[in-house]
Amino acid sequence: MIDFYTNPQSRGAIAHWMLEEIGQPYRLHTLDYDTTMKAPDYLAINPMGKVPAIVHDGQVVTEVAAICAYLADAFPDAGLAPAPAARGAYYRWLFFGAGPVEAAVSNNALGFQVPPDRRKMIGYGSLDDVVHALDGHLSRSPYMAGEAFTAADVYTGSQIGWGMMFGTLPVRDSFVAYWDRIKDRPARLRSMAAGQV
């Protein structure tokens, strides 16, 4: 059994989608930002006092991309990670979502623009650089890791879908076509029905 700690208004929605994709039983623990997330029993799980987190077989995993990668590895029958020898694109785009996309989109939402003379100091350069890289990739590839849907699509795909929905990523034809390919997956719809997205 997997214990899943989340809040409906959080990145936990991505982890919830991933849990539905693997099809394994889990217990949902909905936490409140100001109380239970900061309570000693939860801080023992995640000292940051943030969600999501999972506990599986005595292991604690936090950070959504890590949760997605962990679950894909822990439950290989779900087919959400390529074979180890073929994981280059999978890791690249999963962690591109967790690094450059997350940082660029968050900074954009906060109204922060990296000064042009400082772009070498920041991992993503500029929002335009991130958008250009994603657009180029998704113009050539149906999914993040190639021809098959993986955990990288759950994570980075969610970033793209939310970015377009909330206006923190510009709409590109490749983004719309990609999001249309993944947004109606049964696992995502189940997680939405449970109030997580």
Side-chain angles (χ1 to χ4, degrees):
M1 178 67 73
I2 301 163
D3 283 290
F4 171 44
Y5 299 86
T6 189
N7 180 286
Q9 302 299 314
S10 75
R11 290 169 178 82
I14 303 171
H16 198 174
W17 178 6
M18 186 66 188
L19 284 162
E20 289 293 334
E21 287 285 352
I22 63 167
Q24 298 296 314
Y26 60 90
R27 280 186 292 260
L28 180 69
H29 304 274
T30 302
L31 304 182
D32 177 74
Y33 280 100
D34 296 323
T35 59
T36 49
M37 242 180 257
K38 306 303 182 192
D41 58 338
Y42 184 66
L43 291 174
I45 293 168
N46 186 354
M48 292 284 290
K50 296 172 24 182
V51 292
I54 63 167
V55 180
H56 174 247
D57 285 345
Q59 296 192 79
V60 174
V61 186
T62 64
E63 311 313 315
V64 185
I67 291 169
C68 289
Y70 174 87
L71 292 172
D73 285 348
F75 301 98
D77 289 347
L80 293 167
R87 288 193 183 172
Y90 168 74
Y91 286 135
R92 175 183 181 186
W93 294 104
L94 175 61
F95 294 106
F96 187 81
V101 175
E102 172 81 14
V105 167
S106 295
N107 283 341
N108 186 44
L110 295 169
F112 175 74
Q113 300 295 319
V114 179
D117 63 330
R118 299 292 179 112
R119 288 184 181 161
K120 293 177 186 175
M121 296 176 64
I122 194 112
Y124 67 85
S126 71
L127 179 63
D128 287 343
D129 294 338
V130 170
V131 169
H132 179 73
L134 279 174
D135 187 27
H137 180 62
L138 291 173
S139 294
R140 297 183 303 273
S141 181
Y143 297 103
M144 284 294 158
E147 297 298 316
F149 180 90
T150 67
D153 296 293
V154 174
Y155 184 78
T156 306
S158 293
Q159 298 283 358
I160 292 168
W162 286 350
M164 289 191 300
M165 182 187 315
F166 294 112
T168 54
L169 265 181
V171 175
R172 295 287 184 267
D173 290 344
S174 67
F175 297 174
V176 172
Y178 169 69
W179 185 238
D180 284 346
R181 282 192 289 279
I182 68 171
K183 69 181 175 64
D184 293 325
R185 288 181 63 85
R188 181 173 179 274
L189 298 179
R190 286 192 303 271
S191 70
M192 289 174 62
Q196 285 299 300
V197 260

